[in-house]
Amino acid sequence: MRLAVTLLALCCMADAYAQDTIAPSSQRQPAATPSPSPSGERGGAGRGSAAPPPAAEQHRLPPDSTTKQTVTLPGRTLDFSATAGSIRLFDDKGEPQADIAYTSYQLDGTDHARRPVTFLFNGGPGASSAWLQLGAAGPWRLQIGGDGAVSSATPDLLPNAETWLDFTDLVFIDPVGTGYSRFVASGEDVRKRFLSVDGDVSSIALVIRRWLEKYDRLSSPKFVAGESYGGIRGPKIVRNLQTQQGVGVRGLILVSPLLDFRDFSGSSLLQYMNTLPTMAAVAREVRETGKAPLTRADLADVERYAQGEFLTDLIKGQVDTQATTRLADKVAALTGIDQAVSRRLAGRLEVSEFRREFDRRNGRVTGRYDASVIGFDPYPDSNSAHFGDPSGDPLKAPLTSAAVELTTRKLNWRPDGSYHLLSESVNRSWDFGRGPAESVSQLRQILALDPKTKLLVGHGLFDLATPYFASKVILDQLPAFASPDRVKLVVYPGGHMFYSRDGARQAFRAEVEALVK
């Protein structure tokens, strides 16, 4: 009898431990029962022992820090618990692999069983969650537009009147290699496993399930929000949660997403159609300075042309000189690009060409994240392009400083090492697999699997990194079960981070609240 009890206890321990591992994708199964979060602590060495701690412990992030916080906003005051901490992930041999950092906000005085919780991440690959947390949804906000969109701006965090915390708890996740998240195992194998499309999805989905278990929130309504490359991550993570982790998701929120790399790679003609309305929007915004803000409705004629005559002439190819000239001249008229340049390029404007040619006469270039932002070309006389992004690069310094200030001072969590807002190392090492990544397949599957799951997609008119029209075309191809009451596209004046503009941030918050409620 004693032997049987001992064996049963060992089996239960092994099962709980297995729930904390990242198994190969072919071996992953839906979660069975909640598993405890392993402490990872090791017993102290004997007296007089000089043995150093294992390498994994030397790199360990500090214990979670939970603090009570209050923000006073127009018409209300929010009291909440803020936690900065991490979740350790293991491989199928029980060896620690990575510590994934998160920041969570849970409103006080609520019924957690009924209270929604939203998990948020950015993209890159290689981006931390600071943009969504400090620009859109978190309880504090950094001004990242106007005077705040310069490298030397003071990184002052202010109460965010548009925080989503009123109607959902928030968990911001930094994938490994971003923020303070880090590998605790060495070697190329672990890097290759995590820094890949599938490995990344598996690790984030597991972190979500582990957080739900840790805070007893498995019964809460659950939502997922991703930005930019989060358009690839988001649908795949929801699919993984549904089928591998045993976690249902009520809604998916995508901010400036890229859904299919194939539309912007190689010789795809769709890339020119997808970017044309954004280029035209930039031209009209600059020409009509002082007038009412441009809206998507103002671009109805461009959208019709892009999907109609433009695409027809484009497909005919340059062998049809009349069609090519007609197309090039129309593109020049819509985008403000010099007619001679448009004809030289056969009306096929790549993003980098447009950014440089739009105001080349004045030695200026447009942004990529927000093409309505125009800055100086550092080498205006060069035959080659040597410029960054005047709409994105200036945000790196204030966002990094604000994220560190929030974590270490306000939330009292002080990891060693540097905070990585945007890791070039992660981006360079990313394994996209055998072909351009896409998540449209997973979108179809998650919407078909659960008729209650909803999708909200938000874009900025002036975003050349992930143009809104690409998402519009993709969403229009979904089957009838993806009805308008389940799938919604909203487009605002602004760029990739359209929430940097007050009106867009307020309007998008209202859309998210309607989805969650």
Side-chain angles (χ1 to χ4, degrees), residues 274-352:
N274 289 335
T275 55
L276 182 59
T278 291
M279 294 175 181
V282 173
R284 293 182 182 184
E285 176 77 358
V286 173
R287 290 172 186 164
E288 301 174 7
T289 301
K291 294 186 179 181
L294 194 72
T295 67
R296 184 186 167 194
D298 298 322
L299 297 168
D301 61 314
V302 184
E303 292 187 8
R304 285 194 299 270
Y305 170 69
Q307 284 187 297
E309 185 180 349
F310 173 81
L311 194 56
T312 301
D313 284 345
L314 192 66
I315 291 174
K316 291 176 179 177
Q318 296 187 53
V319 67
D320 188 329
T321 57
Q322 290 186 339
T324 300
T325 299
R326 180 169 61 243
L327 178 153
D329 291 351
K330 181 68 172 181
V331 167
L334 288 173
T335 65
I337 297 295
D338 182 85
Q339 186 184 66
V341 172
S342 186
R343 286 191 175 188
R344 174 171 59 83
L345 299 173
R348 293 154 170 81
L349 297 185
E350 294 187 358
V351 168
S352 58

Side-chain angles (χ1 to χ4, degrees), residues 98-338:
D99 285 340
I100 308 299
Y102 68 88
T103 305
S104 66
Y105 303 103
Q106 299 186 71
L107 196 66
D108 292 347
T110 62
D111 178 2
H112 281 180
R114 299 177 180 273
R115 170 83 171 162
V117 58
T118 301
F119 297 89
L120 305 95
F121 41 80
N122 277 81
S128 73
S129 60
W131 280 271
L132 281 178
Q133 180 174 183
L134 303 181
W140 297 281
R141 186 176 66 84
L142 180 71
Q143 183 182 354
I144 57 174
D147 293 339
V150 295
S151 295
S152 58
T154 303
D156 290 333
L157 287 173
L158 303 173
N160 181 16
E162 287 77 49
T163 181
W164 301 358
L165 187 57
D166 294 75
F167 50 84
T168 178
D169 290 340
L170 303 167
V171 184
F172 297 91
I173 299 173
D174 293 332
V176 67
T178 75
Y180 286 115
S181 296
R182 61 189 61 174
F183 290 105
V184 295
S186 58
E188 281 302 305
D189 287 346
V190 65
R191 290 184 60 83
K192 289 179 180 179
R193 185 161 62 254
F194 277 81
L195 303 184
S196 66
V197 174
D198 292 338
D200 170 72
V201 167
S202 296
S203 66
I204 297 176
L206 182 56
V207 167
I208 290 173
R209 198 200 82 209
R210 289 278 308 283
W211 188 94
L212 290 166
E213 294 169 349
K214 183 174 182 178
Y215 291 97
D216 195 21
R217 299 296 299 271
L218 282 168
S219 62
S220 297
K222 291 163 283 288
F223 298 83
V224 169
E227 179 176 353
S228 196
Y229 178 78
I232 299 294
R233 266 192 185 128
K236 292 178 180 292
I237 286 173
V238 172
R239 178 67 173 165
N240 184 289
L241 289 169
Q242 287 178 330
T243 62
Q244 302 297 318
Q245 302 298 334
V247 174
V249 176
R250 294 279 186 90
L252 175 61
I253 303 156
L254 298 179
V255 180
S256 304
L258 178 64
L259 299 171
D260 194 337
F261 275 98
R262 296 174 300 182
D263 292 346
F264 298 92
S265 60
S267 59
S268 172
L269 295 179
L270 292 180
Q271 60 186 306
Y272 305 113
M273 178 190 71
N274 289 335
T275 55
L276 182 59
T278 291
M279 294 175 181
V282 173
R284 293 182 182 184
E285 176 77 358
V286 173
R287 290 172 186 164
E288 301 174 7
T289 301
K291 294 186 179 181
L294 194 72
T295 67
R296 184 186 167 194
D298 298 322
L299 297 168
D301 61 314
V302 184
E303 292 187 8
R304 285 194 299 270
Y305 170 69
Q307 284 187 297
E309 185 180 349
F310 173 81
L311 194 56
T312 301
D313 284 345
L314 192 66
I315 291 174
K316 291 176 179 177
Q318 296 187 53
V319 67
D320 188 329
T321 57
Q322 290 186 339
T324 300
T325 299
R326 180 169 61 243
L327 178 153
D329 291 351
K330 181 68 172 181
V331 167
L334 288 173
T335 65
I337 297 295
D338 182 85

Side-chain angles (χ1 to χ4, degrees), residues 365-378:
V365 295
T366 80
R368 177 171 173 263
Y369 283 138
D370 187 339
S372 70
V373 175
I374 300 178
F376 293 111
D377 185 343

Side-chain angles (χ1 to χ4, degrees), residues 352-367 373-390:
S352 58
E353 295 276 8
F354 173 83
R355 291 180 58 203
R356 196 172 196 211
E357 294 295 340
F358 184 74
D359 197 21
R360 189 166 188 170
R361 66 179 68 86
N362 295 315
R364 286 149 62 93
V365 295
T366 80
V373 175
I374 300 178
F376 293 111
D377 185 343
Y379 298 96
D381 300 323
S382 173
N383 289 328
S384 301
H386 301 288
F387 53 85
D389 186 348

